[in-house]
Amino acid sequence: MLFRSLYCKLQQMMLDELDAGGKVYLVYPVIEQSEQLPQLRAASADLKTITSRFAGYNCGLLHGKMKSDMKGEALRRFRSGETNILLSTQVIEIGVDVPDASMMVVMNAERFGIAQLHQLRGRVGRGDRKSKCILVASTPSSLNRLKVLEKSSDGFQLASMDLVL
């Protein structure tokens, strides 16, 4: 029941952001669902669900197995506003600049390194809009590690913490 409540609140936050004209990244640790790691959320698997939950908004998909021209088109559509929600893997970590992207939700955040999460959160907050980066962890034990990101925005310090942890 707690997870259902959390996801309802998260969905409402996303709707509020979209209704206010923002764009949302949903970042996933994997492209496809895996029998070996069934607890991980997958970008391709969630596309249909997210598309139906956010029926008034256009959703797109971006991942590393896509051909370069398809990746470029997915980013172009997100930049131009044709796509409001971009489901992606960490392929957006570096080199992606969409100034009006104002919210990021990272699923299974414990599966990413701290420095990687720092790079990902740098994809939002590049424009005039106030931004949000929400890290969704699938295990309570991972929260202490993720809290390091709350306290620092120094990439060097975070990379050092990654090595320590």
Side-chain angles (χ1 to χ4, degrees), residues 19 29 37 54 76 87 94 133-134 155 157 159 161:
D19 289 345
L37 298 166
F54 296 90
R76 185 200 65 74
L87 288 78
I94 296 174
C133 181
I134 300 165
Q157 179 189 7
M161 286 300 275

Side-chain angles (χ1 to χ4, degrees), residues 53-72:
R53 284 195 183 142
F54 296 90
Y57 296 97
N58 293 321
C59 298
L61 180 65
L62 177 65
H63 58 75
K65 287 187 178 177
M66 295 169 75
K67 293 183 180 182
S68 291
D69 58 332
M70 299 278 290
K71 286 190 244 183

Side-chain angles (χ1 to χ4, degrees), residues 101-115:
S102 51
M103 184 174 187
M104 175 177 284
V105 179
V106 182
M107 307 305 288
N108 300 107
E110 73 279 1
R111 301 293 296 189
F112 297 90
I114 292 171

Side-chain angles (χ1 to χ4, degrees), residues 11 14 26 28 43-61 83 85 87:
Q11 183 175 337
M14 289 173 60
L26 287 175
Y28 295 82
S44 292
D46 268 9
L47 181 61
K48 186 176 180 180
T49 303
I50 297 297
T51 299
S52 67
R53 284 195 183 142
F54 296 90
Y57 296 97
N58 293 321
C59 298
L61 180 65
T83 299
I85 303 170
L87 288 78

Side-chain angles (χ1 to χ4, degrees), residues 48-164:
K48 186 176 180 180
T49 303
I50 297 297
T51 299
S52 67
R53 284 195 183 142
F54 296 90
Y57 296 97
N58 293 321
C59 298
L61 180 65
L62 177 65
H63 58 75
K65 287 187 178 177
M66 295 169 75
K67 293 183 180 182
S68 291
D69 58 332
M70 299 278 290
K71 286 190 244 183
E73 179 62 13
L75 275 173
R76 185 200 65 74
R77 291 176 58 83
F78 190 56
R79 249 187 228 107
S80 73
E82 292 172 61
T83 299
N84 311 101
I85 303 170
L86 186 63
L87 288 78
S88 177
T89 59
Q90 64 271 18
V91 73
I92 62 162
E93 181 180 351
I94 296 174
V96 173
D97 186 20
V98 181
D100 52 347
S102 51
M103 184 174 187
M104 175 177 284
V105 179
V106 182
M107 307 305 288
N108 300 107
E110 73 279 1
R111 301 293 296 189
F112 297 90
I114 292 171
Q116 201 174 21
L117 290 167
H118 173 65
Q119 287 292 329
L120 284 168
R121 75 177 173 185
R123 301 307 101 206
V124 293
R126 295 174 158 243
D128 296 332
R129 299 181 61 80
K130 186 174 177 166
S131 64
K132 300 169 191 69
C133 181
I134 300 165
L135 305 177
V136 179
S138 54
T139 62
S141 62
S142 60
L143 295 178
N144 286 337
R145 184 175 153 275
L146 296 175
K147 284 189 178 284
V148 170
L149 286 155
E150 276 183 319
K151 297 177 174 94
S152 179
S153 61
D154 179 337
F156 182 75
Q157 179 189 7
L158 291 170
S160 298
M161 286 300 275
D162 235 351
L163 288 173
V164 169

